[in-house]
Amino acid sequence: KDNGLISIALNPYNTRKFPVSERLTRENAHYYYGMITHHAEHSLPKIARKIPFFGDMNKGLDDQADELADNLGLPKIAVSGAHRLQDIGTAYINSQRISAKNTEEIMKSLKNILRQKSFGVKTGRVPTRGILDWGLTFYMGIKELKENPSLCE
C-alpha cells in the first residue's frame, strides 16, 4: 500500500547524495512508480568519478540507473535538481493528461501516468562550468562553517 504517496526510486549509484543500495532498490522495486535515471547535474564525463566531491556528478551514474530501471521494468524519470535558478527546467517529465480538480485527482492522475509510462522525458545537462561553480561555492561554504562554527549560532 502506498498510503496515497508516489514513491520514486533514487539513483542507487549516487551514493554520496543518496545512500540507497542497489540491493535495497531491487528488493523494494514493487513500491516504486519510477526511477530517477537522468539527473541534469550528472554532466561530467565518467572519468570524473575519481575527482573528490565532484565524482558523483558523472554521466555514468545515469547509465547504470537506466539499465537497472530497464531490468526492473520501472519508468525512467528525469530531474534537474535546480540548485540555481538558471537550471530550472533542464530536465523533467511532461504529460498533458493530469487532472487537477483536487489533490486526490492529481495524485491519481500522476500514478496512472507513471504506471502506463505515458509521459515524455526531457533530458538536458547543466553546463559543466555551472556544476563546477556551484560545487566550488558549496564546498567553500562548508569549509567556512567547519572553520567558524559560530556562524551557525
Side-chain angles (χ1 to χ4, degrees), residues 43-67:
S43 61
L44 302 178
K46 292 178 188 178
I47 190 91
R49 69 181 75 191
K50 307 244 188 251
I51 303 171
F53 186 79
F54 293 103
D56 282 347
M57 296 178 185
N58 74 80
K59 296 175 188 174
L61 299 172
D62 288 348
D63 296 341
Q64 289 176 281
D66 191 71
E67 187 176 323

Side-chain angles (χ1 to χ4, degrees), residues 55-105:
D56 282 347
M57 296 178 185
N58 74 80
K59 296 175 188 174
L61 299 172
D62 288 348
D63 296 341
Q64 289 176 281
D66 191 71
E67 187 176 323
L68 181 59
D70 282 341
N71 291 338
L72 298 174
L74 293 172
K76 299 171 186 179
I77 307 291
V79 297
S80 67
H83 294 289
R84 305 173 314 151
L85 286 176
Q86 60 264 41
D87 298 336
I88 293 173
T90 304
Y92 54 86
I93 65 171
N94 182 26
S95 177
Q96 302 298 321
R97 300 179 22 201
I98 295 176
S99 172
K101 295 176 188 170
N102 55 48
T103 305
E104 291 80 23
E105 286 295 315

Side-chain angles (χ1 to χ4, degrees), residues 119-136:
F119 57 88
V121 177
K122 193 251 186 202
T123 58
R125 304 277 182 195
V126 173
T128 301
R129 183 167 188 263
I131 289 293
L132 296 175
D133 286 346
W134 172 83
L136 188 57

